[in-house]
Amino acid sequence: MSKIIVLKCVGHNPKDFELDEAVAVQFGCIKDLFHSDFDAESKIVVDVPMKFNSYIIGRILEFCSSRASFSSDRAYWEQDFFHPCREPNQRKRKELIAIMEASEYLGMESLVELTTQSLANYLKGKNPLTIRSLWKVEGDLTAEEEAKALAMGVAKLGH
Amino acid sequence: MHNSKLDYSSLLLSDQLLLRVFSKLPISHLVSTSLVCKRWLFLHGRLVQSLKLLDWHFLESGRLFARFPALTQIDTVPSSCLRLAPNSGVLLSFKPSSFFSLPISSSTSSTHHDDLSSDRIHQGLHLIAQKYPNLRRIAVFGASEYGLATLSDTCRTLQELELHCCGDLSLKGISGCVNLQVMKLTARMDGGFFTTSVVVSDIGLTILAQNCKRLVKLELCGCEGSYDGIKAIGECCQMLEDLTFHDHRMDAGWLAALSFCPNLKTFKLRSCKSIDSNPGLDEHLGVCPMLQELHLERCHLRDMKSTKSLFLVCGNVRDIVLRNCWGFQDDLFALASLCRRVKLLYLEHCSLLTTGGLESVLLSWKGLQRLMVVSCSKIKDNEVTPELASLFYVLKELKWRPDTRSLLSAELEGIRMWRKGGKFFTSLKG
């Protein structure tokens, strides 16, 4: 009798995820589908864009179903799910960004909050050169613009 | 299996997500993250909501709007009335309540020795109104009627306005500011660069009253006016709760108009050379019905009649704060007992007041709960009588530091108050 939502992931490792109502309502973009006038036994297929691979979607679904036993999402995130640490390695950084984007796409506010907070924690206290190399950003400020900022006397580049 | 180097880098993160991340950073870390790349620098600009403009050219060139598109609070006063070094551009404050500010040097090398004409100010205000229609707070110096009119007609959400060197004529431009809640109006500047004879009189006060009926807080600096102007404000601005006069030049008899303010809760007088040179008969003064706090700072209080009239008008007050007031002797302070509901008294640097004078008033206030006495050199511990000490015993809060060598604890031991030592010692230790 209950509706089934299928998340269809394409890409390198295509996989279909079947979600039951309890999990699916946590995603803002899917919640609305439950209120519409569908045949009770129908299956609704949601296509997930290619950039979110099945591993990431799988992790997010794992988050959704397993967090119930913890007192807060943050507790689950930090202890069991992501283990925020001082210096995440390359793989973990990629995973964090991917989860952040996918949860924004799926409309899961709480997960977006947790991921953005983790990223903010990683950026804290780092000088711009380190941030550029770790997070693969092209530095494109001109010397004049940097000088202006240096005049503030707060940030010092590690030249 | 490995995606290219650019995948999952922050470059792919949407602006929205990056902004969310930056907004979670503590302010002190925002500078280093803004230096990473141009895109991040501009995104940081979008987080800035409040800004103090030091260079008018930064506004005229449009760079202000490009860098900081989300401003809701601007202080343009430093750029329009102070002559600073050529390299000073913009002073940033990220949130109104934070004290962190960063000077950013502008790239203009020209020195601005020309005065800022009212046309330029008008142009600048026009630009601001266009680019920031959701502006909530702005401070402006020397605005004309037209400049203010542009601002008030476009920025309908304007809630706080600070006008410097603004007179009656310019105030005609605020007819659009119907949502204004907080206003600070400065007619003259003390010393400084300008000695223009800009006047705010009853005309200006009446215009203000009729247009800004939702005013909650009003500060008038160097304004003239009289009973009629204050009465107009009291009658039109029914929600006014906080009124401050800074160095007022009001005509005699204005004090009685204070009773027309039905919801006034806080009344402050700062740096006033006199209260009211001729307040009129006591019977005609009235009382401010809802007044709770009276603050007098750096005022000259030598005149018995006006001090008495003030305490009569403020008869319902609960908190009295007196700081650095001249001429405040015992006989003047005795008039404070006209206020029968006082719960809190704060005295700082009232150097003519003696312990006896203080005591007679304190004992007349049956409901007193909090007393703070700081740096009042004529008040001595050894003059504290047993009656006064027993009053201290029942107070909820006491801060007794009339001088730095106060040895009240020793004195209290002598009259067997040591059991309550904890309460008194904390204020001395602190």
Side-chain angles (χ1 to χ4, degrees), chain B residues 250-254 274-279 303 305-306:
Chain B
M250 313 271 288
D251 290 341
W254 67 267
S274 72
I275 300 179
D276 187 341
S277 48
N278 186 10
D303 178 19
K305 175 86 172 99
S306 57

Side-chain angles (χ1 to χ4, degrees), chain B residues 254-299:
Chain B
W254 67 267
L255 197 53
L258 217 54
S259 50
F260 282 102
C261 302
N263 284 309
L264 193 65
K265 293 198 171 67
T266 307
F267 183 53
K268 295 184 190 167
L269 286 170
R270 279 199 205 118
S271 307
C272 295
K273 297 193 178 67
S274 72
I275 300 179
D276 187 341
S277 48
N278 186 10
L281 295 172
D282 289 351
E283 306 82 81
H284 297 154
L285 282 172
V287 174
C288 247
M290 305 290 283
L291 197 65
Q292 291 180 358
E293 293 180 33
L294 173 65
H295 296 244
L296 295 169
E297 286 176 43
R298 298 185 304 276
C299 293

Side-chain angles (χ1 to χ4, degrees), chain A residues 12 51-53 56 90 93-95 97-98 100-101 104 109 112-121 123-129 131-132 135-142 144-152 154-157, chain B residues 1-42 58 63 67 92 100-108:
Chain A
H12 178 81
K51 66 173 175 169
F52 304 131
N53 64 26
I56 293 298
Q90 171 96 318
R93 284 197 291 273
K94 286 188 183 175
E95 193 175 319
I97 302 278
M100 192 192 297
E101 291 184 317
E104 201 211 7
E109 222 359 76
V112 178
E113 272 297 302
L114 292 168
T115 46
T116 48
Q117 183 65 61
S118 293
L119 182 55
N121 291 340
L123 293 176
K124 253 190 247 187
K126 298 217 167 41
N127 72 46
L129 283 185
I131 297 178
R132 281 182 209 155
W135 296 92
K136 308 273 189 298
V137 185
E138 278 290 319
D140 57 356
L141 286 171
T142 66
E144 186 201 338
E145 287 160 344
E146 260 185 30
K148 261 195 259 173
L150 278 176
M152 295 182 223
V154 180
K156 289 199 165 69
L157 297 183
Chain B
M1 167 68 190
H2 250 304
N3 298 313
S4 79
K5 189 163 87 157
L6 282 181
D7 272 358
Y8 300 122
S9 81
S10 71
L11 278 178
L12 290 187
L13 271 182
S14 65
D15 281 356
Q16 227 174 339
L17 278 177
L18 265 181
L19 277 175
R20 277 181 85 153
V21 174
F22 295 151
S23 63
K24 289 181 159 53
L25 282 170
I27 291 171
S28 47
H29 293 108
L30 282 173
V31 178
S32 44
T33 44
S34 67
L35 289 177
V36 171
C37 66
K38 260 200 186 123
R39 181 180 169 222
W40 285 31
L41 180 66
F42 274 82
F58 194 66
R63 291 198 335 270
R67 276 290 301 278
L92 272 185
F100 188 67
S101 47
L102 321 166
I104 296 182
S105 56
S106 85
S107 62
T108 77

Side-chain angles (χ1 to χ4, degrees), chain B residues 299-319:
Chain B
C299 293
H300 292 250
L301 288 170
R302 300 179 206 279
D303 178 19
M304 283 282 282
K305 175 86 172 99
S306 57
T307 311
K308 181 182 178 197
S309 306
L310 179 66
F311 283 128
L312 276 174
V313 171
C314 304
N316 292 336
V317 76
R318 293 194 200 149
D319 298 350

